[in-house]
């Protein structure tokens, strides 16, 4: 099953890359066999740099176009096995997250605010968020994204 899943993920990424010419950022959660997966999505036309982090048994990887300049990053966890990454590029932030399941005691605002505080940089940038939100619980936060992140 793991090999079939890996093949399906790689095939879909390659399909979208072909249709759109190139994906600048790919956010992956619960990655198994990352070397094999990355070898299947890399090519001489498409070279990705990666940011990898772990929380418990979970591996998270953000692949980004080598033309994007990574200025800084912070990797944290909402709880064990629920990682997040904040990557700062010259014109924007990119957040890759695997949020907690319904009923878990996780605080999106507290976790991401802490992560952003560790990046000593200009905060007036666009923030893109991708990942596994687990039932969209993040929608129910009482604050706006601006308040949640900064």
């Amino acid at each position: 099953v793991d090999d079939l899943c890996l093949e399906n993920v790689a095939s879909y990424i390659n399909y979208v890359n072909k249709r759109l010419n190139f994906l600048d950022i790919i956010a992956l959660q619960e990655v198994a066999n990352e070397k094999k997966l990355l070898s299947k999505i890399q090519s001489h036309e498409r070279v990705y740099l990666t940011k990898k982090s772990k929380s418990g048994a979970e591996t998270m990887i953000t692949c980004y176009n080598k033309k994007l300049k990574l200025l800084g990053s912070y990797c944290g966890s909402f709880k064990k096995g629920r990682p997040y990454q904040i990557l700062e590029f010259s014109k924007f932030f990119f957040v890759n997250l695997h949020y907690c399941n319904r009923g878990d005691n996780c605080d999106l605002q507290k976790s991401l605010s802490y992560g952003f505080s560790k990046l000593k940089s200009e905060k007036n940038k666009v923030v893109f968020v991708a990942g596994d939100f687990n039932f969209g619980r993040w929608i129910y936060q009482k604050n706006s994204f601006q308040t949640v992140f900064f």
Side-chain angles (χ1 to χ4, degrees), residues 13-30:
I13 290 170
N14 289 329
Y15 167 78
V16 174
N17 255 332
K18 186 175 181 181
R19 296 211 21 127
L20 297 178
N21 194 27
F22 190 78
L23 292 169
D24 283 323
I25 300 178
I26 302 168
L28 302 167
Q29 305 81 37
E30 299 184 66

Side-chain angles (χ1 to χ4, degrees), residues 36-136:
K36 187 173 182 181
L37 176 63
L38 293 174
S39 73
K40 290 185 173 291
I41 66 171
Q42 302 270 20
S43 71
H44 65 281
E45 300 99 21
R46 291 189 312 269
V47 177
Y48 289 103
L49 300 176
T50 60
K51 182 66 178 178
K52 174 183 167 184
S53 60
K54 288 188 74 70
S55 175
E58 180 171 344
T59 300
M60 172 177 277
I61 299 176
T62 302
C63 305
Y64 59 95
N65 186 329
K66 68 178 183 176
K67 294 178 183 177
L68 296 173
K69 184 177 181 186
L70 182 65
L71 301 177
S73 66
Y74 179 80
C75 300
S77 296
F78 297 108
K79 68 177 212 164
K80 185 176 180 181
R82 293 293 187 241
Y84 66 90
Q85 300 174 333
I86 302 172
L87 283 66
E88 182 183 10
F89 296 96
S90 56
K91 296 184 179 180
F92 63 92
F93 289 102
F94 184 83
V95 178
N96 183 5
L97 61 84
H98 188 176
Y99 199 55
C100 301
N101 291 310
R102 191 179 304 240
D104 288 345
N105 187 21
C106 295
D107 189 330
L108 179 76
Q109 180 177 358
K110 182 178 178 183
S111 297
L112 295 184
S113 292
Y114 179 78
F116 275 105
S117 76
K118 294 297 183 184
L119 296 171
K120 310 249 187 288
S121 61
E122 175 191 337
K123 301 293 190 224
N124 192 19
K125 294 181 182 180
V126 174
V127 177
F128 295 98
V129 182
D132 182 347
F133 296 95
N134 283 316
F135 302 109

Side-chain angles (χ1 to χ4, degrees), residues 1 3-4 6 8 12-13 27 30 33 50 67 76 83 118 144:
V1 173
D3 281 342
L4 178 60
L6 184 141
N8 288 339
Y12 188 73
I13 290 170
E30 299 184 66
N33 201 344
T50 60
K67 294 178 183 177
K118 294 297 183 184
S144 69

